Amino acid sequence: MYVVIFNFALIVSIVYCSIDWSADKNPEKWNKLARENIDEILNRKINKNVAKNIIFFIGDGMGIGTVTAGRIRKGQMMGMNGEEMVTNMESLENLALSKTYNIDAQTADSAGTGTAYLCGVKTRAGIIGLNGHAVPFNCSSSNNTKLDSILKWAHKAGKSTGIVTTTRITHATPAAAYAHAAFRDWESYDGIKFTQKIRAEGCTDIAYQLIEDNDFINVILGGGRSKFIPNTIRDPTAKSTGSRIDRKYLLREWVDKMITNNKTHKFISNASDFRSTNFSEYEHILGLLAFDHMSYEIERDDSLEPSLTEMTLKAIDLLKQNKNGYFLLVEGGRIDHGHHNNQAHKAIGDFVAFDEAIGHALKTVSLEDTLIVVTADHSHAFTIGGNSLRGNPVYGLALTSYVNVSDANLTYTSILYGNGPGGLVKIRDYNLTLNETQRPNYMQEATVYRKSATHSGEDVSVYASGPMSFMFTKTIEQNVIPHILAYSACIGPYYNDDCRNNRGALHNSNQRPINFLMFNLDHKNSALFGIIVILIKYLLFNGAFLISF
C-alpha cells in the first residue's frame, strides 16, 4: 500500500509541476477581468428586433455539471488548463435557469420536456405533443389533446423549418417537434412497442406521422432509417432489415409526395452524398444518415457520417433561401446516451461537438435578426469533484496536493455518477489507474447500480443572444421557452400586429423613446410649453389641418 501511495504521490507531483497558473497569482488580472465584465454589461444594447430566424439548440442531458466538465475538456484539448475556457454557448449574452419537471414527475424525461419547450405546455413523462390530459400508453386518451409545436407555428407564418439531430429522427426530442403520441417508444409500427391493437384504436406511429402529416418540414437530418423501412427489406448500408410490419416503405412515400407536390427534393443516406449535395438548390431534403442513432463523436467515422457541425451548416444553407426566415432545431442527442451508460468520455465528447456546432452557427448568421438559444431538456446524476488540482485531466483520477486517495486508501476519479451501470455491486478493493480511466469506453463509478442511469431533477441553464434574448432571465418554467421564441419572431400565439408594432428602431438601443407630450422644460418656458401642448392635442384629436408638400 505504501508503494502505491508513493507512486501516486509521484504522479501528483509531476502533474502539479507541469501546470502553469503563475499569472493567476496577480490580483491585477482578476480586477481587469472584472472591470471588462462590468463594461461589457453596461455597454450591452437591447435588441428588440423581430427575429427573422431562430436556431434552437438542445443538448440532451446537458446539465450544468456537464457544461463545466465539457468546458474543462474543451480547454484541455486546446492545450489550456481547461477551467479558464469559455465555450461558445457560454459566450451568449443572456442566461436563465429552466425548471424541467413534468406534471407527474419530479425528475423529467425527454418526451415531456420536449413537449414543454417545443409546444409551450407541460405534460406527463413519456408523452409527446399532447397535453396533460393524455395518459401514457393509452391511445384513446390522445383524442382532443394534441398540441402544435413551434415548427408548425413558424410554418404557418411563412417560414421554413428544419430538424437536425444525432439520434434517430423519431427519438423523443425531435419527435416532440412534429408528432403526437401517448408514448415516446411508438417510433415505428414494429408489432412490439407499437402494436396492431394500438393501430386499431386509431393511433399512428411517429415515423408515419413525420412522413404523412409533416411534409412542410424543409430539412430533416439525423439517424433512424430502420423506423421507415419494412421488415421485409434490407437496408443496403446496415445490411439489416427495417422494423415496420405494415409493409410501408415510408422513404419512398416521402419521395412520391414531394414529386406530387412539385417540390425540389432529395433523399440522402450517406456522408458522401451529403457532402456533394448543394442544399441551397433544394426546397426539401430528408437525410437519414444512420440505420439507428448516429455514432458518438469519439467513435464517428468521418467517411461514413457527417459531424453535427456539418449537418447544422447544411441545414442553414437550405433554410436561409426563404426571405421570410426559418426555425431550426438542432439536438446534440447522444450526450444523454453517454451519461445513461456512465461513459463520460462519450457524453463529454458529444458535448464538445455540440458546442462546436453552436460556434459555427454563430459565425454564419447575424444576431441582429437571428435568435440563438441553447438549453437542455434535463440534467443527469453526474458530478465532477474530488478536490482535484487545477488543470487535472477531466477524465483522470482525482489528483490533489494533499490527500490523493479516498478514506478507504483507494484511488478514484473526479467524475462520478449517482446511479447507473457503473454502480459498485461490491466494494472495490483495488486502485484505479490513469491508463484505465483514460480509455474511451471506461465506465465511471456510480453510487447505486442500475442498468441505465437516470436523469436528475435539477434546473438546467438557458443561454441566448439575438432579438429579444434579454427576456431569458431569472428561473423560468420550461414551457415558457417556446413562448419567448415565438414572441421574438411574432409567430404562433403572437402572430399579430400588436407583437410587431411593439418593436421599432428606437428599441434597438438603450435610449428610451421620447414622449413629447410629457417632455419637461424649465420653469421659464413652462407657459409657452403649455400652449404648445394644448395646440398639439387639438391637432391630434380634431384633425384641424393637413400639411402638404
Side-chain angles (χ1 to χ4, degrees), residues 222-242:
R225 284 195 307 273
S226 62
K227 307 301 181 183
F228 298 82
I229 301 174
N231 61 359
T232 56
I233 295 179
R234 187 177 299 275
D235 181 83
T237 303
K239 297 180 180 179
S240 299
T241 58

Side-chain angles (χ1 to χ4, degrees), residues 92 98 112-113 286 346 409 425 545:
L92 301 180
S98 167
T113 55
L286 174 59
K346 294 178 178 178
N409 286 324
V425 293
F545 65 87

Side-chain angles (χ1 to χ4, degrees), residues 271-339:
S272 176
D273 199 11
F274 170 87
R275 292 186 175 118
S276 64
T277 298
N278 184 348
F279 275 53
S280 64
E281 295 178 352
Y282 294 90
E283 295 174 85
H284 292 266
I285 287 183
L286 174 59
L288 298 182
L289 300 159
F291 187 69
D292 194 51
H293 298 302
M294 299 186 75
S295 300
Y296 289 109
E297 180 61 23
I298 63 172
E299 297 176 345
R300 182 175 63 87
D301 184 334
D302 193 61
S303 67
L304 299 177
E305 294 181 16
S307 67
L308 183 59
T309 292
E310 290 179 278
M311 293 193 292
T312 300
L313 295 181
K314 287 277 197 178
I316 292 173
D317 283 345
L318 185 152
L319 296 172
K320 70 182 181 182
Q321 306 306 312
N322 188 339
K323 65 181 185 343
N324 295 321
Y326 59 82
F327 179 95
L328 175 62
L329 172 67
V330 180
E331 183 200 21
R334 305 219 66 194
I335 299 169
D336 175 69
H337 296 172
H339 282 324

Side-chain angles (χ1 to χ4, degrees), residues 106-179:
Q106 188 176 79
T107 299
D109 94 305
S110 295
T113 55
T115 302
Y117 62 70
L118 288 170
C119 302
V121 174
K122 287 213 173 197
T123 191
R124 307 189 200 211
I127 295 289
I128 288 177
L130 305 173
N131 67 37
H133 292 289
V135 178
F137 304 103
N138 187 328
C139 173
S140 61
S141 70
S142 61
N143 295 331
N144 303 316
T145 62
K146 292 181 180 180
L147 301 167
D148 283 342
S149 81
I150 192 169
L151 264 76
K152 184 67 70 71
W153 301 347
H155 167 65
K156 288 181 177 178
K159 296 182 183 296
S160 294
T161 61
I163 303 172
V164 172
T165 181
T166 53
T167 68
R168 296 187 297 266
I169 195 66
T170 52
H171 210 239
T173 296
Y178 60 84

Side-chain angles (χ1 to χ4, degrees), residues 388-427:
S388 296
L389 293 169
R390 174 77 180 275
N392 189 55
V394 73
Y395 298 142
L397 300 172
L399 302 179
T400 75
S401 58
Y402 47 101
V403 178
N404 304 310
V405 292
S406 70
D407 288 341
N409 286 324
L410 295 172
T411 58
Y412 64 102
T413 56
S414 300
I415 290 176
L416 295 167
Y417 286 89
N419 57 60
L424 297 175
V425 293
K426 67 175 184 177
I427 300 299

Side-chain angles (χ1 to χ4, degrees), residues 276 356 521:
S276 64
E356 282 298 291
L521 298 175

